[in-house]
Amino acid sequence: MGHGPGRIRVRQLKAPLLLALALTLSGSAGPGILSPAPTLSAAERPRVSLHHEEVGPHPSEPAASAEGSSPSAAPSDPAALRPDIIVFMVDDLVYLPDQRVLERLPNIEREFLSGGMRFTNMNSTVALCGPSRVTFLTGRAPLRHGVVRNADAFGTPRKTINQRLMQAAGYITLNQGKGIHVEVKGGRDIGWSRRNHFPRNSSRFREQGVRWIEDAPVERPLFAWYSTNYPHEIPQTYYPYVEPGQRGDPRCRDIARFKPPTYLTWDEPRPMPFHMPMDVEEGWDLTKTCESLLGIDAAIGAIVQAQRERERPVVLVFTTDHGVAHGQFGYPFKWNPYARRTEFYMAGTGIPAGVSTDKLLSDVDVAPTLAAAAGVELHYDVDGQSFWALAQGDLEHPGRQRHLCYFEDVDPSIGFKCIVSPKWLAIFWDDGRRKLTKAGGWGIRNLKIAEPRTLARLRLETERLYREQRT
């Protein structure tokens, strides 16, 4: 069952200050002077699901007032109308053209695959944990927020969506799990009401995640970033860590292996990319990826249920910090142009269910979109643009026209810049190699000879955008 387009009616709260003022002016508490509404017990309150069909005010719309309404019908605190925003971010999940892994995870399948919207053309700017996570929080590109490698310090922690939502909209802000694993000047806790990081343990992740939701006052909206270490690979093993209780789970059996069209590189053909297990000749075994996410799937189900009991509108996100390449054209793992595609889903109030879009999007667009969903503006310059209208079902939304991606390295065979448009993907390595392919597919044919003018034009655009971000 999907999250329908209906919006949730929010109960109005009486302000004690207004009540006292009315009583002072009238000299009595007669039946026509702001009589307090009866208090309902939890059992007496009407239950509201995420799929409720009643339509109420949205944060981006003014609340309508009925003609001739009494003073007791005055609008409630604007914070009561803002949706909860809950982001589930996994770690280093490979982008797949289908849903062969995620469809095995029952809560993710119900809430996001069947009940949400998939964005199949979301791209990371730098396919590395530190830079991509700061980009998620800021809506700024790595060259602008200053974290281009995992060891770089984040110098502007007050310019983040969590800080803005807390200050401008009264949000309770929660961060559980991996978060930002770089030095933060001024302190990692800036902008967070509650924050905690702990090693891999899905049971603790679930228990604390639910408790934090239950502890949050229902009259205030919350922004929660639940970020896990799964299914990040264990160094030297090439496969994710799986908790003992999830190993061999039947839900993850018989998943078809994933194999890109070729492991060969363009300018230096080789039968197998380096740093990859030899058994991927037959395709990558995704069993451990599925098993690694089973505990997190259970946590997502429990956390979403806890949010439902708050009876508030909600925006849910399931994503990964960045993509992973499984040997496409000889490039494994991260920090390469074939790791830019990321899994991204949204669900919740007003977001259509079972819909997919291939509009070009960037990770710099996520923060402005979540801010728009909350009905606030980010008070600092961002590189992204909101696609909230697209998430609400406006499939005519154009998306973006260009996405810039890059990785800086002293080794010119590793460092690169790339640009993605709705039609093209162009890659320019620091050692002089160039590649031009049609966007949206696997890019088997290198069109740099057939389309020299297109390549030259995209090269100029890439350098211009890169200079703008650096300055």
Side-chain angles (χ1 to χ4, degrees):
M1 181 169 62
H3 302 290
R7 294 173 182 144
I8 298 176
R9 187 188 304 277
V10 181
R11 290 183 291 111
Q12 294 182 337
L13 304 176
K14 303 297 184 295
L17 184 60
L18 293 178
L19 176 60
L21 178 60
L23 293 175
T24 301
L25 294 176
S26 66
S28 67
I33 306 295
L34 285 175
S35 301
T39 302
L40 301 179
S41 67
E44 294 171 320
R45 288 201 308 265
R47 303 291 293 177
V48 183
S49 75
L50 299 184
H51 316 293
H52 205 279
E53 295 302 323
E54 290 189 89
V55 177
H58 184 262
S60 62
E61 302 170 354
S65 59
E67 183 176 347
S69 59
S70 66
S72 62
S76 62
D77 182 349
L81 304 178
R82 301 185 190 277
D84 290 347
I85 299 174
I86 302 180
V87 178
F88 300 103
M89 181 179 288
V90 297
D91 195 1
D92 288 17
L93 178 65
V94 62
Y95 174 86
L96 296 173
D98 53 39
Q99 299 168 325
R100 69 185 74 180
V101 171
L102 298 182
E103 67 184 6
R104 303 296 187 97
L105 307 170
N107 294 293
I108 293 174
E109 196 286 326
R110 181 182 64 254
E111 302 296 340
F112 294 101
L113 275 62
S114 296
M117 186 174 186
R118 187 185 191 192
F119 300 82
T120 62
N121 203 2
M122 176 65 73
N123 296 265
S124 56
T125 304
V126 174
L128 198 62
C129 297
S132 61
R133 288 167 178 269
V134 178
T135 291
F136 158 72
L137 286 179
T138 63
R140 307 176 97 182
L143 285 173
R144 294 247 287 147
H145 60 58
V147 181
V148 295
R149 302 296 292 266
N150 278 342
D152 293 338
F154 178 37
T156 56
R158 298 188 184 279
K159 294 184 177 181
T160 57
I161 183 174
N162 54 296
Q163 174 79 359
R164 181 60 178 159
L165 292 179
M166 174 186 286
Q167 290 180 335
Y171 270 76
I172 298 168
T173 55
L174 311 173
N175 172 219
Q176 177 180 304
K178 184 172 179 179
I180 302 175
H181 58 79
V182 296
E183 178 188 351
V184 180
K185 297 179 181 179
R188 291 174 181 265
D189 294 332
I190 292 177
W192 297 112
S193 308
R194 303 181 75 172
R195 180 182 174 276
N196 192 17
H197 172 73
F198 45 79
R200 292 182 171 99
N201 187 317
S202 63
S203 295
R204 286 184 60 192
F205 189 91
R206 180 180 68 251
E207 292 166 4
Q208 179 172 280
V210 170
R211 185 169 64 251
W212 281 8
I213 297 287
E214 293 174 342
D215 290 346
V218 71
E219 64 271 13
R220 290 181 61 188
L222 63 84
F223 171 76
W225 180 25
Y226 291 104
S227 181
T228 172
N229 294 78
Y230 298 100
H232 194 293
E233 57 135 13
I234 302 174
Q236 312 305 323
T237 68
Y238 310 108
Y239 285 107
Y241 172 77
V242 179
E243 294 179 336
Q246 313 295 353
R247 296 170 188 170
D249 192 289
R251 290 172 289 184
C252 295
R253 292 176 186 168
D254 304 320
I255 299 177
R257 285 177 171 252
F258 171 68
K259 184 176 182 180
T262 178
Y263 291 124
L264 300 180
T265 60
W266 287 109
D267 300 318
E268 187 182 347
R270 52 192 176 195
M272 188 70 61
F274 64 97
H275 299 317
M276 296 279 278
M278 295 304 295
D279 65 350
V280 300
E281 184 69 54
E282 300 301 321
W284 192 271
D285 186 356
L286 298 171
T287 302
K288 290 186 180 297
T289 300
C290 175
E291 293 173 344
S292 178
L293 291 172
L294 286 171
I296 299 305
D297 177 74
I300 289 174
I303 291 170
V304 169
Q305 179 58 37
Q307 192 285 329
R308 282 200 176 99
E309 294 175 2
R310 285 169 53 80
E311 302 179 359
R312 293 186 61 97
V314 66
V315 173
L316 302 172
V317 175
F318 175 81
T319 186
T320 177
D321 49 3
H322 54 77
V324 176
H326 276 348
Q328 294 93 309
F329 306 109
Y331 290 89
F333 302 130
K334 302 183 276 191
W335 59 79
N336 68 74
Y338 303 107
R340 73 184 192 283
R341 293 278 287 275
T342 61
E343 294 282 5
F344 194 90
Y345 293 81
M346 295 184 74
T349 311
I351 299 173
V355 176
S356 177
T357 175
D358 63 355
K359 297 296 176 64
L360 178 64
L361 301 172
S362 170
D363 55 357
V364 299
D365 300 328
V366 176
T369 299
L370 298 182
V376 303
E377 294 183 4
L378 299 179
H379 66 303
Y380 55 87
D381 292 336
V382 296
D383 299 303
Q385 57 194 35
S386 170
F387 58 89
W388 179 234
L390 177 62
Q392 291 184 300
D394 179 10
L395 299 183
E396 298 301 317
H397 187 281
R400 63 171 40 246
Q401 295 304 305
R402 297 289 185 272
H403 167 75
L404 179 69
C405 43
Y406 45 83
F407 185 73
E408 296 183 340
D409 198 271
V410 295
D411 185 343
S413 67
I414 296 177
F416 71 90
K417 303 180 188 73
C418 67
I419 190 169
V420 188
S421 75
K423 185 177 180 180
W424 300 101
L425 164 64
I427 309 170
F428 307 96
W429 281 273
D430 292 348
D431 62 5
R433 289 174 297 145
R434 300 180 180 185
K435 183 174 181 180
L436 176 67
T437 65
K438 292 291 183 68
W442 285 105
I444 301 299
R445 293 183 59 203
N446 191 348
L447 302 174
K448 65 179 182 179
I449 303 300
E451 296 280 350
R453 292 184 178 179
T454 300
L455 185 65
R457 174 173 55 82
L458 292 175
R459 173 73 179 193
L460 292 175
E461 285 193 50
T462 301
E463 293 299 332
R464 176 180 60 81
L465 293 173
Y466 187 79
R467 285 195 304 270
E468 289 177 356
Q469 287 192 13
R470 181 166 285 285
T471 56

